[in-house]
Amino acid sequence: MNSAATPAAADLADNLARIRERVAAAVARRGPGPAPRLIGVSKRHPLAAITEARAAGLEDFGENYAQEFRDKAAALENDPPRWHFIGALQRNKVKYVVGKALIHTVDTRSILDAIEARAAREELLQEVLVEVNLGGESHKAGVSEAELPALLDRFAATPHVRCVGLMLIPPPAPPEVTRGVFARLSALRGQLAEEGRPGVDLEHLSMGMSSDFEVAIEEGATLVRVGTAIFGPRPY
Ligand SMILES: *Cc1c(COP(=O)(O)O)cnc(C)c1O
């Protein structure tokens, strides 16, 4: 694996310190609420990047590809970080992820049922987020706002899977447009939380990446997924 683009440990610690300052400033602008967790998106970066970021105090890591996640999780099995699976998940890859990571990308009943089957087999309770698509035609992943309530209803029938929040990847747009999308997800979360559903506790909002995590925090993100701004450009 070409790791030329992965920053040296000192640079990585520096990047992290700067991101933490920006997170804190965004939290201060937002006002009271839970401290967001910073997820370092380490996809395509070597294991060494994760080890160095952990040494600098980062606890949460996000991966997108099931096999890459499987291999990295296996390598760190004895002392795992807090893992997040943030990529598209196929039914036949669910086995690599269940029981090992918070899954951010449940967007169909079919994938939810596959996770339930696997979690039941492993006799564990899997926490997931539901990925929502708020009108981004360019982006196919995510359940539409119209179909979201029915998908959330399904958690009543999945005793081994609990929904702990919503996740969003906004369509590419200028920051002020993106802010509106984040605000809409935040409002939707509030509305759905009031309705209440078995197996659903909408504690988390996973939104915001390198280019827009501050705006996301201002609009209520509890989990921000930052890759490039911590680890530099991806090696491939
Ligand atoms: C890659 C990725 C990120 C991180 O993106 P950066 O722009 O590098 O911060 C965040 N979320 C998801 C779902 C991703 O696939």
Side-chain angles (χ1 to χ4, degrees):
M1 188 185 291
N2 169 20
S3 62
T6 302
D11 295 334
L12 205 154
D14 223 56
N15 289 350
L16 249 180
R18 247 177 287 127
I19 299 293
R20 287 197 187 292
E21 279 170 21
R22 290 170 58 189
V23 166
V27 168
R29 287 193 296 274
R30 178 204 64 187
R37 294 195 75 86
L38 176 61
I39 301 171
V41 177
S42 45
K43 65 182 177 214
R44 299 194 186 131
H45 286 285
L47 204 58
I50 297 177
T51 308
E52 284 165 12
R54 290 182 89 185
L58 191 63
E59 297 175 334
D60 291 69
F61 292 85
E63 289 285 338
N64 282 62
Y65 308 102
Q67 278 107 328
E68 182 180 347
F69 170 75
R70 175 197 60 193
D71 295 345
K72 285 174 169 170
L76 300 175
E77 195 170 32
N78 292 328
D79 180 22
R82 200 188 284 250
W83 284 119
H84 300 259
F85 190 80
I86 63 172
L89 193 54
Q90 293 158 320
R91 294 175 61 94
N92 62 341
K93 308 265 172 66
V94 154
K95 58 179 180 278
Y96 300 146
V97 177
V98 164
K100 299 193 173 73
L102 173 64
I103 301 170
H104 288 226
T105 47
V106 170
D107 63 353
T108 62
R109 177 169 165 165
S110 142
I111 198 74
L112 173 55
D113 288 353
I115 294 169
E116 167 62 25
R118 184 71 194 184
R121 195 168 134 188
E122 294 193 22
E123 299 182 342
L124 53 81
L125 181 62
Q126 174 66 47
E127 295 192 334
V128 305
L129 307 177
V130 166
E131 181 177 354
V132 181
N133 183 345
L134 291 179
E137 280 149 33
S138 61
H139 188 69
K140 296 209 174 58
V143 62
S144 70
E145 190 173 346
E147 287 166 12
L148 176 59
L151 182 55
L152 293 177
D153 285 342
R154 182 68 187 165
F155 286 87
T158 61
H160 300 87
V161 191
R162 223 164 67 85
C163 176
V164 297
L166 304 175
M167 180 269 208
L168 176 79
I169 304 173
E176 287 318 304
V177 175
T178 301
R179 180 187 295 279
V181 178
F182 290 155
R184 275 176 62 206
L185 188 70
S186 201
L188 193 55
R189 189 255 304 244
Q191 197 182 309
L192 292 162
E194 249 172 55
E195 293 172 17
R197 282 181 173 80
V200 178
D201 171 13
L202 300 177
E203 178 189 351
H204 288 293
L205 279 181
S206 168
M207 55 188 197
M209 322 204 302
S210 289
S211 57
D212 53 21
F213 68 91
E214 289 150 303
V215 173
I217 289 169
E218 288 168 23
E219 298 303 330
T222 66
L223 299 167
V224 291
R225 313 177 304 263
V226 178
T228 314
I230 295 174
F231 296 107
R234 287 177 272 281
Y236 59 96

